[in-house]
Amino acid sequence: MKKIIRIIAFILSICTVVVCCTGCKFLDKMKDERAFWTNNRHIIYKDVRYKPFPFSEMFNPDIDEKSKNVFVADDDIPLLLLRNIGTEFILTNDEIFLVDFYYYKTGQGGVEVIYCREDRYEEFAEKLENAVAEELCYEVMYISPEQMVATDDYFLTEEQREAVFSIEKNYEPLDVPEGVVFEYDYCVYLEGTTKDGLFRKEFGDIFVKGDTYYLTIYAPDPNGKEVEVVPSETSNIYLVPDELKETFEKILEPAKIGDESLMHGNEFFY
């Protein structure tokens, strides 16, 4: 194996001359992306050690279009083979976690392979152990001033959260026949989240048709960790009463503004 690698390295050394003709930025970028496996399968990136972190479906890594990709390989792998042989991870924007690229991008199995900085491991393991979804939020997609598609989280105010909670507490769900599909003008997907946004769990939906608002609250996962914002034994759909319509209109306002920014000449802007 090492003999083959030496041969490949020799060939690549010739290719490097060609690469140099186009400048050193490409090689500098590859060096910046390089990380190494240790003997116990930890990861060393820029002299920082990362160790495997417990998997949680609630984990919500700080990743966006600006996040850096990192390729992990043994130290005898030539730099120019790194992207072909190395395992690709995404480095969170705070550089605390490395998240497996394949699982994160495809959604197949969820984010299952996570590494945490060793010097922050105990801190975040404790946060995971004590994670309680105290807030409600949803993601807003919009066009940024740079004319790029961007996303932000919108956190419900205390008044808005109380309005959502009061519906389940004080009203009966609709008796919806099986197979009925609701049409809507706007819809937001609510998540229960810790205050720092690092751990989240699905909660429900708010959708509106005309001036009629509905709230769906999902059933908790019987096999999941009990960190529900509001406990629910079944997934139910509630009709939002008239006295709460104004509050729910304000909840959906950021989503409507985001949708309008995505419109360009009556067509969606991509």
Side-chain angles (χ1 to χ4, degrees):
M1 176 64 182
K2 289 188 177 180
K3 182 178 179 181
I4 295 174
I5 289 176
R6 283 198 297 269
I7 294 172
I8 295 173
F10 174 74
I11 296 172
L12 290 177
S13 67
I14 299 175
C15 296
T16 302
V17 176
V18 178
V19 173
C20 288
C21 293
T22 62
C24 296
K25 288 186 178 180
F26 177 71
L27 288 177
D28 289 342
K29 178 174 174 59
M30 293 186 70
K31 289 178 182 177
D32 185 60
E33 294 173 342
R34 179 161 199 162
F36 302 93
W37 293 115
T38 67
N39 291 336
N40 58 354
R41 302 303 285 180
H42 288 184
I43 295 173
I44 302 294
Y45 177 65
K46 292 188 175 180
D47 297 325
V48 177
R49 180 180 291 267
Y50 291 79
K51 57 187 290 188
F53 191 74
F55 169 67
S56 169
E57 291 184 356
M58 289 184 66
F59 181 63
N60 178 56
D62 180 21
I63 290 173
D64 57 28
E65 64 279 357
K66 298 177 183 178
S67 301
K68 181 188 296 184
N69 288 37
V70 172
F71 296 84
V72 187
D74 293 332
D75 56 9
D76 60 352
I77 299 300
L79 185 62
L80 292 181
L81 285 179
L82 183 63
R83 292 189 177 184
N84 299 101
I85 296 179
T87 302
E88 188 171 2
F89 286 82
I90 306 175
L91 181 67
T92 56
N93 294 336
D94 53 18
E95 299 191 358
I96 295 174
F97 294 97
L98 285 167
V99 180
D100 185 278
F101 178 88
Y102 173 77
Y103 283 108
Y104 183 76
K105 288 295 184 182
T106 64
Q108 296 185 21
V111 178
E112 294 185 358
V113 184
I114 307 164
Y115 284 75
C116 179
R117 283 180 62 122
E118 187 175 47
D119 59 344
R120 305 290 299 276
Y121 184 91
E122 294 301 329
E123 171 190 349
F124 284 93
E126 183 177 354
K127 284 186 176 184
L128 173 61
E129 180 68 24
N130 299 313
V132 176
E134 300 175 282
E135 306 283 340
L136 287 177
C137 74
Y138 67 82
E139 188 176 79
V140 179
M141 184 177 293
Y142 63 96
I143 297 297
S144 70
E146 295 77 25
Q147 294 300 295
M148 300 290 290
V149 177
T151 58
D152 274 335
D153 289 327
Y154 172 74
F155 284 80
L156 275 61
T157 65
E158 183 177 355
E159 177 187 359
Q160 292 167 349
R161 291 198 309 272
E162 289 303 318
V164 171
F165 300 160
S166 69
I167 290 180
E168 185 186 44
K169 182 178 179 180
N170 299 316
Y171 296 89
E172 292 296 322
L174 297 175
D175 185 11
V176 181
E178 186 176 350
V180 170
V181 177
F182 284 81
E183 295 183 355
Y184 57 84
D185 300 321
Y186 291 96
C187 179
V188 297
Y189 168 64
L190 291 176
E191 293 180 292
T193 175
T194 53
K195 289 185 177 181
D196 60 6
L198 183 61
F199 302 103
R200 296 188 180 184
K201 194 172 182 69
E202 63 181 17
F203 177 81
D205 304 288
I206 299 174
F207 57 99
V208 56
K209 179 66 176 177
D211 64 348
T212 303
Y213 290 81
Y214 299 90
L215 170 68
T216 301
I217 298 180
Y218 300 156
D221 179 1
N223 299 315
K225 191 175 180 181
E226 291 300 326
V227 291
E228 308 298 331
V229 178
V230 174
S232 303
E233 294 183 359
T234 58
S235 295
N236 292 316
I237 299 178
Y238 297 85
L239 177 65
V240 175
D242 291 341
E243 60 268 25
L244 292 178
K245 281 185 179 181
E246 184 176 349
T247 300
F248 274 72
E249 182 179 7
K250 290 180 179 178
I251 293 175
L252 265 65
E253 185 175 355
K256 292 181 180 180
I257 294 174
D259 280 358
E260 289 170 1
S261 77
L262 290 168
M263 298 296 291
H264 183 76
N266 295 325
E267 294 182 0
F268 279 105
F269 184 98
Y270 291 98

